[in-house]
Amino acid sequence: MSDIKKVVLAYSGGLDTSVIVRWLQDEYNAEVVTFTADLGQGEEVEPARAKAEALGVKEIYIEDVREEYVRDFVFPMFRANTIYEGEYLLGTSIARPLIAKRLVEIANETGADAIAHGATGKGNDQVRFEMGAYALKPGVKVIAPWREWDLTSRDTLMKYCEDRNIPVDFSSGKKKSPYSMDANLLHISYEGGILEDPMAEPEEDMWRWSVSPERAPDEATYLDLQFKKGDIVAINGDEMSPATVLTYLNKVAGDNGIGRVDIVENRYVGMKARGCYETPGGTVILKAHRAIESITLDREAAHLKDSIMPKYAELIYNGYWWSAERKMLQTMIDESQEFVNGVVRVKLYKGNVIVVGRQSEDSLYDDNIVTFEDDAGAYDQKDAEGFIKLNALRMRIAAQKGRSQL
Amino acid sequence: MSDIKKVVLAYSGGLDTSVIVRWLQDEYNAEVVTFTADLGQGEEVEPARAKAEALGVKEIYIEDVREEYVRDFVFPMFRANTIYEGEYLLGTSIARPLIAKRLVEIANETGADAIAHGATGKGNDQVRFEMGAYALKPGVKVIAPWREWDLTSRDTLMKYCEDRNIPVDFSSGKKKSPYSMDANLLHISYEGGILEDPMAEPEEDMWRWSVSPERAPDEATYLDLQFKKGDIVAINGDEMSPATVLTYLNKVAGDNGIGRVDIVENRYVGMKARGCYETPGGTVILKAHRAIESITLDREAAHLKDSIMPKYAELIYNGYWWSAERKMLQTMIDESQEFVNGVVRVKLYKGNVIVVGRQSEDSLYDDNIVTFEDDAGAYDQKDAEGFIKLNALRMRIAAQKGRSQL
Amino acid sequence: MSDIKKVVLAYSGGLDTSVIVRWLQDEYNAEVVTFTADLGQGEEVEPARAKAEALGVKEIYIEDVREEYVRDFVFPMFRANTIYEGEYLLGTSIARPLIAKRLVEIANETGADAIAHGATGKGNDQVRFEMGAYALKPGVKVIAPWREWDLTSRDTLMKYCEDRNIPVDFSSGKKKSPYSMDANLLHISYEGGILEDPMAEPEEDMWRWSVSPERAPDEATYLDLQFKKGDIVAINGDEMSPATVLTYLNKVAGDNGIGRVDIVENRYVGMKARGCYETPGGTVILKAHRAIESITLDREAAHLKDSIMPKYAELIYNGYWWSAERKMLQTMIDESQEFVNGVVRVKLYKGNVIVVGRQSEDSLYDDNIVTFEDDAGAYDQKDAEGFIKLNALRMRIAAQKGRSQL
Amino acid sequence: MSDIKKVVLAYSGGLDTSVIVRWLQDEYNAEVVTFTADLGQGEEVEPARAKAEALGVKEIYIEDVREEYVRDFVFPMFRANTIYEGEYLLGTSIARPLIAKRLVEIANETGADAIAHGATGKGNDQVRFEMGAYALKPGVKVIAPWREWDLTSRDTLMKYCEDRNIPVDFSSGKKKSPYSMDANLLHISYEGGILEDPMAEPEEDMWRWSVSPERAPDEATYLDLQFKKGDIVAINGDEMSPATVLTYLNKVAGDNGIGRVDIVENRYVGMKARGCYETPGGTVILKAHRAIESITLDREAAHLKDSIMPKYAELIYNGYWWSAERKMLQTMIDESQEFVNGVVRVKLYKGNVIVVGRQSEDSLYDDNIVTFEDDAGAYDQKDAEGFIKLNALRMRIAAQKGRSQL
């Protein structure tokens, strides 16, 4: 079918990717290398080893990449206050470039000439995996079984397993769900099932990482989040690693009913899709990061960031993390974060993230100037007249020439 | 002091603007025309008549402009999903151009050669009033007493009143407040007092239009919001005028603890300022409008809107409503709203606005394409391979030439 | 091979598209309808009729679309001062949407279910034709023979003609050229041949529409171009239709050695390509349009246009003329042109377009304000102090807090 | 008049700034420090020393800053292909931040508490000087005599000189000119006089740095320009310093009639102004830099640069060089230039800069892919079908739902 000799597969240990292992072996007559990452999805990854071995895989990579994930992908993204289409915190999108990178690195280490993944031909993830792979290893072959094979119904897939003695309990251990789900330390997502009707409200038992606001505690939780160069480095005074920060915030925010999103989004492949997401910790980070920037970032720096954010979010959503343009934007964003230091106090209560205080040694807020009280000459109100008159000059001239804005 | 004969003053009926009436009469020897607008601030405007009369004003304009305000200013702004610096819904900013316009129109009707307002020289409102006035009546004189006079402390102001027999109960009837406040149908704002410390959490009794999430009902409220060309035209099936929509939503959302914002923002005059805002109805509109767009708006139309929104918000914040560039952007935004029709169902609960459904005859969501089930050929998954390969081509070439993105 | 019954083909009358007629008849067993447009390419289109008839085509459309082309495509584009990658005036790109539209309209009239074109699989034109067709007739089938067939060398193509008695003199009448060329009223383009080496200077005899600057007259030519709402409506006082304007300017500018461009551009399909273009009239229009805007357009309107122009140019280059987002941008651009009226005087001389004068009844230029002489109080220089101080305030505060910009 | 003790003045040695020396001594009773820079304006700066001494100045700074100017200001600007309002190469704007910086540094060295300049209250230069000064030394006082004094006519100025024995031959040695002029290594500018009529063509003898295209040689000049990280480092194989590069190009390009611009521009202070500029070398750099980028820069990196360029140009024009946002953009631009290396061959002929070749070891142009000949499988034309179909999908869905783009 091709001259592919060895394939690195993004392997979850679940049924679908286990079938892919066998299918690659059969159809491509290729050796399969599996890569299973602990991205914080909340399931053990070690069981994937035995399953891969049972399928005859000899090179098995199982790795805990949680710190790298948050430090090098999640945190840089939040420095830009990134949000896609006003609502989506990009929890799936931002994990894909890390996986693509590791697939390529493992291909280089093992001498593989191809990579494979279990994403379908309708979604964004195929794009994100493959775009990353092509950008990092331009000669790589990509195998996307869901675009190729005919195992497109549950029946044909089960028949395939039966014929080849693939244990059907290779399911990933998740509670049987009517939804297509994906999880990592930043979020868990739900698609399909009744969600395909955009008028249908999700059932309460779909959600896994957060309680509903209704069931959240009646007492608010306060947190002090300490930022350094735009990243959270300590909570309530305790220094924490990036992954620890996110793990901690997921727990506390999820317990307070925070981080659910239910949207219809525009996929890069051209269709609209309904998705539900839980991003408890990320929701807190986004809010708090804006708050620390509000006192430490220059106005025009902030507005410049806001103006390019939609572009930056789109790049991540569409799979262009490993591109020259994303790197350019990142360089600019990171440049702006030098003084984004200080503490933000947030109140978490039944779905709400409320900023109740922010302070910083790098604050640009100056109450001597802004005060309604006597400012002792810090600001000369008469300057405003000239400021307004020259800003209005072009409009006055236009009006004098008879142009009406009414 | 000048050759000004007649001045139209934005008159609230409160103490400060009453002092301004007298001060204009004294210092400029000018006739004063007062303009008092019911913008939905929640106070009677008719009492301003007697106060103005007592000050010797002969031309008194008192008007209910609530419908015009929502129809021609608030709704057009929300069509763009407008938000300033990620948080602020521009409740003060968007009311100013209407006042500026009426001041100018009244100046034209009454033959006045100047307008005056009670905004200080440190804030944004002076800019918004004056920019509007200059744009609409380029030869107008502007008098901003707070930038000119020496009545800058409470004591000097009171002395001035005493000397001239201005009744001190000309206060606007608001409960005595330590905050500087402003209200209209879209929001109420708070500045000053303890808020000048960005680390100080506002006291619960500061807020006037919403209960706290803690005190909101334990039962959620569901609303069906019907959109036509991007504006809400009916709630729960009842057609309503624009101002009625906003009044209704303010009540329901405020009762459910929705719409409080506490931020440090960047003023156009160059300083950072702490502001607290309650925008109950607007918060619901923003969320619901994004939801109806999510199924009815083309992806690239939506992304184009997102990319220019920060600019559009900045224009409104900075006082450029009556500018050529705002009109250009508005034309583009309005063009996009032709098919933004349909119903959004929201759930309001203790501070949360949760979209739980959206439907439209103009929906572009197509479950035949997006489905995880058999799509009967509506979408050919094999197309994705070419899509990805050509999108990746430039990155592959760069990598082949030795450029690393790692 | 498919169930296609009737195909509308963009037919030039040349050898390649004549082969396509036969190939569609043979391979698809489909009836072929030909569409040949006079876009101002400088060749007779009527001879295409006999050729099509000889190939058995029964429905033959031959149309002069020059006025529509300039009025509805070229002029709207120039209102935005459109230029791709700083150099390319989009002469090929802007003609494609018109052809796509006519193919679709003819398909609707003739009951055809498919369209076909002679563009290759490496270029932008396939994208532009097909994107337009899909946007205007979503169920249409598209046949792109160059992506399907195996007639990919000159030899196989000639053999195919011989086997099927297709006269080889069906060449389009152009002088035999080593370049791949395309022409319409806006430009002529050259690709391929020695141009594939980006270090090779084009030979002088490649260029067809302009003399070299060296061979241009020693006397300059002056023109007065009259604009109305951003379009040229008269030259030297003579009113002209859009196509007449462009025809006239092509002649005069080409005679003066104007409009040659030699670039490497980035194609939408992911590769870089060398292209040479002659756009004599368009080069004059672009320069003159900027000049008339310089006196009639508000500063911020102009800057807003500049800021979205690269996006607008990209949309046209990439084939998105018939998209919601292009329409949005066009609406905004057109809104800005209401007062872009007046006369620009240009001097054409040996490759140079020099603006030497501009005047307009809608001019916003005011020499009473700008003058170095006494301005009689039109502008108060003292206003500048406040203007500068408030614009600088945020930077002063940052510097006071110890932030260095050095 | 104030408590200012010592002022650093931007001193040209000409009459106007000599008057300012005396006026500062008289009106402010302040010690004056003069700063005279050789920015490449083409006049000796050393004579300023004797003039300053004659006026009693004790601290005299005369410096050759040409290399710093081109290296740290001009070249970084050209990396962005910067052009204001489509025409202006920012020759005045880009010199101001360097002067502002040196004024501040000298103020720090000499213990001065103020700076002063000779720019008027109507222009952009006052903004650029003062914005830089405030950003770099926030507590500095600024004195702008033209906004303060009453020496606003030639007569009053001459009378002032006479009364104080200021030699009137302190004029700067320029040929007496009816124009207001400014020059530095990047350009010379002309304003005022007959140029205040935008319909008046400049007289040939106004221009000083270039011959007219008519008088340029009949033989073209070819140059090979070698770029490294976006800057020209060698010409025709000879390595040169930045200032040498620009000096060389000014000479050769000026001799070939290149670099004249005649425009009406929008000033930051709100008025339109006519300006004529000669920028011979800069015109060549701009064209050549785009050409080297055309083969070495990734498409999306290039488009991102194009999309922010108008903003970047506006920042420089408006005087925000020393701002956080300009630094952010610069960081992004510089990041993009790593591979902008190679040689561009240009042909200079009677006002034309014609790129005739470009080559680079970092070229991303790949003739194996783009070729019309057999590409040996480097590009699979069939990929284009999927690429187009998925890019068109959203538009097809919209059309199927009945939305027409016609």
Side-chain angles (χ1 to χ4, degrees), chain A residues 19 42 64 79 119 138 186 226 321 328 355 368:
Chain A
V19 170
D64 180 348
R79 283 176 212 144
L186 183 53
Q226 188 179 335
W321 181 266
M328 284 171 67
V355 172
N368 290 323

Side-chain angles (χ1 to χ4, degrees), chain C residues 172-185:
Chain C
S172 66
K174 291 176 200 156
K175 181 180 106 179
K176 175 69 185 153
S177 165
Y179 305 103
S180 171
M181 298 191 298
D182 180 73
N184 63 61
L185 202 47

Side-chain angles (χ1 to χ4, degrees), chain D residues 150-161 163:
Chain D
D150 51 4
L151 309 178
T152 50
S153 74
R154 213 67 204 161
D155 285 349
T156 52
L157 200 72
M158 288 300 160
K159 179 75 164 50
Y160 187 92
C161 293
D163 291 351

Side-chain angles (χ1 to χ4, degrees), chain D residues 93-336:
Chain D
S93 325
I94 192 61
R96 299 324 191 194
L98 167 53
I99 295 171
K101 169 178 160 270
R102 286 302 295 142
L103 290 174
V104 162
E105 289 170 339
I106 293 169
N108 289 341
E109 286 167 30
T110 60
D113 43 4
I115 62 127
H117 61 77
T120 80
K122 288 186 172 180
N124 296 304
D125 285 338
Q126 57 175 341
V127 190
R128 296 165 187 153
F129 285 131
E130 298 176 30
M131 214 75 99
Y134 287 135
L136 298 175
K137 186 177 172 69
V140 77
K141 301 270 174 42
V142 172
I143 305 173
W146 286 99
R147 296 199 304 251
E148 290 189 29
W149 68 22
D150 51 4
L151 309 178
T152 50
S153 74
R154 213 67 204 161
D155 285 349
T156 52
L157 200 72
M158 288 300 160
K159 179 75 164 50
Y160 187 92
C161 293
E162 192 178 326
D163 291 351
R164 284 159 186 79
N165 287 320
I166 303 172
V168 179
D169 63 354
F170 266 25
S171 100
S172 67
K174 289 177 202 158
K175 180 178 104 178
K176 175 69 185 154
S177 165
Y179 306 103
S180 171
M181 297 191 298
D182 181 72
N184 63 60
L185 201 46
L186 183 52
H187 90 343
I188 182 167
S189 67
Y190 311 88
E191 294 180 323
I194 64 157
L195 298 178
E196 292 190 359
D197 171 8
M199 199 59 190
E201 184 174 355
E203 296 160 332
E204 180 53 32
D205 67 357
M206 176 188 80
W207 306 98
R208 302 193 169 201
W209 281 21
S210 63
V211 302
S212 67
E214 284 88 341
R215 297 183 194 167
D218 291 331
E219 289 296 306
T221 303
Y222 284 78
L223 296 177
D224 278 8
L225 306 173
Q226 188 180 334
F227 284 87
K228 189 168 175 184
K229 299 199 175 193
D231 300 337
I232 298 180
V233 295
I235 300 180
N236 292 338
D238 295 332
E239 292 192 13
M240 294 182 191
S241 72
T244 313
V245 162
L246 189 48
T247 305
Y248 184 97
L249 291 178
N250 278 338
K251 176 73 175 68
V252 181
D255 286 349
N256 281 287
I258 286 161
R260 295 182 177 182
V261 168
D262 172 357
I263 55 171
V264 174
E265 73 196 54
N266 290 292
R267 286 192 186 154
Y268 190 30
V269 291
M271 67 188 69
K272 289 181 182 290
R274 170 82 171 280
C276 289
Y277 304 100
E278 283 172 293
T279 322
T283 303
V284 176
I285 295 174
L286 181 69
K287 191 91 175 180
H289 185 263
R290 273 212 173 270
I292 192 65
E293 285 194 339
S294 77
I295 58 168
T296 59
L297 206 59
D298 171 81
R299 180 187 70 203
E300 294 302 311
H303 290 199
L304 176 55
K305 287 186 67 209
D306 282 351
S307 76
I308 58 89
M309 186 279 281
K311 168 83 175 176
Y312 177 83
E314 193 180 78
L315 289 176
I316 294 176
Y317 187 87
N318 289 354
Y320 292 94
W321 180 266
W322 297 113
S323 69
E325 65 273 22
R326 203 278 311 173
K327 198 174 168 193
M328 284 172 66
L329 287 173
Q330 194 71 55
T331 304
M332 183 171 82
I333 293 159
D334 291 354
E335 161 73 26
S336 75

